[in-house]
Amino acid sequence: MDHFLYRDGALFAEDVPVSEIAAQVGTPFYCYSTATFERHFRLFDEALEGTDHLICYAMKAASNQAILKTLAALGAGMDVVSGGEYARAKAAGVPGDRIVFSGVGKTYDEIHAALTGGIRQFNVESEPEMAVINKVALELGVRAPITVRVNPDVDAKTHAKIATGKSENKFGIPISRAREVYAHAASLPGLEVIGIDVHIGSQLTQLEPFRLAYEKVAALTEELRADGHNIKRLDLGGGLGIPYERSNEAPPLPVEYGAMVKETLGHLNCEIEIEPGRLIAGNAGIMVSKVIYVKEGEDRKFMIVDGAMNDLIRPAMYEAHHDIVPVVEAEPGTEPQAYDIVGPVCETGDTFAKARNMSPVAPDDLIAFRSAGAYGAVMASEYNTRPLIPEVLVNGDQFAVIRRRPTFDEMINRDTIPEWL
Ligand code: LLP
C-alpha cells in the first residue's frame, strides 16, 4: 500500500494534489511520500519484532539526504556500497555504528574513511579485500568488525541482471570455502570476525530462495561456532520484491518474510540485520511526466512524454514494468487506447511501455510512473544533456523540493576547457 491515491479523480501524494506540485516544480520530477517510507520501514520492524535486529536501509535504492533523514529518525541503519554513500549516510546524521559497508570492490581509501569515521561492520567479499581491511585497521591501530559474504549458490529466480546468489555471480565467497576463509580471517590481527552475510538478489517474488539460503547460513553458523568463531550477527541482505504490476502481482509480505527468518534462524540467538532497499523506497515514489505529443504511427499510437530513459532507466535496462497512470482520471466509461509510451531520447530503447492500455491523453496531460521510488532517481543520468530531474518529498499536506533541477549553465560549467583551446 502507498499514499498515492485518487480523490475525486485527481491523483494525490498524501494530501497534496500531484498537479499542484507539477505546476510549481515543472515536469518531469520524482515525488516521494514520507508516510509510505515510514510505513514500509515499520512493516519490517514489526515483522522482526521479538528478535534483536537492525534494519539497514540499502540506500542505493534512493539516497537523497531528506530520505535518509526520514528513515534514520525511525532508527534505521544504512547499508552503503561506496565511499560516496558512506559520506551521504554520515551527512544525514546516521551514526557509524549503524552503517554497514557492502560491495565487491571496497578501496583502500573507502575502508580508511569508514574505519576513521566509524563503522558497524564490513561485509567482506573476497580474501584480497580482507587483506586490505586488515592492513588499514593495523595502520590505524584498530580492529575492523567483519562478516564474510557467503554465496550460497541458490537461484533467486529473478532477472539475471539482479541475481547475485549463484556461483557464477561475482558476489561473495563460495559457501563451500567458508570455513577455510573464516579460519584465515581469524588469523588476521586487524579483524574481528562477528558474523555472516548473505544477499542473493533483488526483486525476489518468492520466499523459497531466501529460505534455502538462510537454511545454509544456519548450518554454517553452527559449523563456524564449532570451529571457535564468535558468530553473533547475521546480515541477511535485502531483495524482497514489490508488486510492480498491481493487477497481477502479490509478492510475499514483510510479515511472512519475518516469520520465515525467525523459523530458519531464530534458534541461533544471533542479532539479525536486513538490508531492504526496494521494498522501502519503490512504492514510496512516482515519476511524474507530461505528454508532449501523441503521434499516430502506421499501426500504433506513440505517446511521447517529457520523461525519458535517462530519468528512469529500469524499463530500458531490465525490461521492467511500471504501472503508468493518468494524474487526472478519465470520465468513467471512457474507452482505453493502446499506446507505446516513449521518451524524447534518440534511442529506440527509450520506450517505457508498448501497447499499454490507457485512457486517451492529449498534449500537456500529466501521467505518473508508479513504483519509481527505488532505483529511479539514483540511476538517472544527463544523457542527451537532459538535467537530472528534481526530487520532491511530500509529508501530509506539505511538500518540499529536496533536490532542484540544475540549470543548463550549471551543467555546462562543470566542464573545463584545456589551455590549448
Ligand atoms: N544488499 C545488497 C548487498 C545489495 O546488493 C542490494 C541490491 C540490496 C541489499 C538491496 O536489495 P533490494 O532490497 O533493493 O532488492 N537497479 C536494480 C536493482 C539492483 C539491486 C542491487 N543490489 C533495479 O532497478 O531493479
Side-chain angles (χ1 to χ4, degrees):
M1 203 208 97
D2 61 37
H3 290 75
F4 299 100
L5 299 170
Y6 287 98
R7 291 187 194 169
D8 294 330
L11 187 66
F12 274 63
E14 301 191 18
D15 297 326
V16 183
V18 169
S19 56
E20 191 179 312
I21 305 174
Q24 283 197 32
V25 176
T27 55
F29 64 93
Y30 280 100
C31 174
Y32 305 104
S33 149
T34 300
T36 312
F37 275 115
E38 292 180 342
R39 177 185 144 79
H40 291 161
F41 179 83
R42 291 207 175 98
L43 287 178
F44 276 118
D45 210 22
E46 285 160 20
L48 292 176
E49 213 175 286
T51 52
D52 187 9
H53 66 272
L54 183 70
I55 300 163
C56 292
Y57 168 60
M59 62 179 275
K60 62 166 79 68
S63 57
N64 188 291
Q65 291 288 288
I67 295 173
L68 302 187
K69 272 184 180 289
T70 300
L71 291 169
L74 301 178
M78 297 291 153
D79 170 47
V80 309
V81 291
S82 69
E85 284 195 348
Y86 179 81
R88 267 189 182 279
K90 291 291 288 217
V94 182
D97 64 7
R98 278 203 258 145
I99 303 177
V100 304
F101 208 135
S102 302
V104 283
K106 304 172 199 75
T107 64
Y108 179 98
D109 289 345
E110 288 173 329
I111 295 163
H112 195 279
L115 274 178
T116 314
I119 192 78
R120 181 176 181 81
Q121 97 228 5
F122 292 98
N123 292 332
V124 177
E125 295 247 4
S126 66
E127 287 147 300
E129 183 187 76
M130 191 179 277
V132 175
I133 297 175
N134 179 57
K135 177 172 180 291
V136 182
L138 292 178
E139 280 169 15
L140 292 171
V142 297
R143 283 183 85 197
I146 66 145
T147 70
V148 176
R149 176 169 177 181
V150 293
N151 185 328
D153 196 21
V154 300
D155 183 355
K157 299 198 164 58
T158 184
H159 191 285
K161 281 190 187 157
I162 51 178
T164 55
K166 286 287 284 173
S167 58
E168 73 235 33
N169 300 129
K170 69 180 175 182
F171 300 96
I173 57 123
I175 199 160
S176 53
R177 287 197 52 231
R179 290 177 70 189
E180 179 195 331
V181 174
Y182 271 85
H184 178 56
S187 74
L188 299 175
L191 303 186
E192 185 195 357
V193 174
I194 58 162
I196 305 174
D197 172 46
V198 68
H199 169 80
I200 57 173
S202 195
Q203 186 54 17
L204 271 71
T205 52
Q206 299 167 33
L207 281 188
E208 225 29 51
F210 285 119
R211 183 190 299 277
L212 287 175
Y214 298 169
E215 280 167 355
K216 290 189 180 190
V217 168
L220 180 63
T221 304
E222 316 242 32
E223 278 174 24
L224 293 178
R225 282 181 171 166
D227 288 346
H229 301 287
N230 183 13
I231 304 298
K232 55 185 181 189
R233 185 179 292 164
L234 301 176
D235 183 331
L236 306 178
L240 195 57
I242 63 169
Y244 277 101
E245 198 168 348
R246 284 169 197 232
S247 50
N248 67 12
E249 279 179 333
L253 302 172
V255 66
E256 295 163 329
Y257 172 84
M260 181 272 296
V261 166
K262 290 177 195 170
E263 215 178 285
T264 48
L265 301 163
H267 60 288
L268 297 166
N269 282 322
C270 281
E271 183 183 7
I272 299 294
E273 242 166 41
I274 55 168
E275 302 169 349
R278 190 189 313 266
L279 201 141
I280 290 183
N283 283 324
I286 57 175
M287 182 178 83
V288 180
S289 183
K290 192 165 72 180
V291 177
I292 312 176
Y293 299 114
V294 175
K295 172 164 141 176
E296 303 281 344
E298 232 161 50
D299 56 352
R300 61 191 65 217
K301 270 193 201 332
F302 292 100
M303 184 195 302
I304 303 169
V305 301
D306 64 359
M309 65 189 286
N310 70 297
D311 306 311
L312 177 63
I313 203 173
R314 302 194 66 261
M317 193 154 174
Y318 314 110
E319 296 87 41
H321 173 100
H322 285 263
D323 281 349
I324 303 172
V325 297
V327 168
V328 177
E329 276 183 316
E331 295 296 324
T334 310
E335 237 355 78
Q337 303 196 7
Y339 290 101
D340 281 12
I341 303 173
V342 303
V345 161
C346 305
E347 294 206 24
T348 305
D350 188 19
T351 298
F352 290 117
K354 286 204 163 141
R356 184 72 66 89
N357 277 333
M358 281 188 70
S359 47
V361 294
D364 291 338
D365 283 357
L366 297 173
I367 59 167
F369 293 75
R370 285 193 176 274
S371 313
Y375 308 110
V378 286
M379 292 181 79
S381 77
E382 291 179 345
Y383 188 37
N384 281 204
T385 303
R386 293 168 49 87
L388 292 182
I389 66 179
E391 293 178 277
V392 171
L393 182 63
V394 173
N395 185 14
D397 60 4
Q398 319 175 60
F399 72 91
V401 174
I402 56 173
R403 189 179 69 196
R404 67 174 177 78
R405 196 188 312 274
T407 63
F408 292 146
D409 278 348
E410 281 169 329
M411 292 165 70
I412 295 163
N413 290 335
R414 287 203 313 258
D415 298 357
T416 48
I417 309 294
E419 263 175 33
W420 62 85
L421 284 176

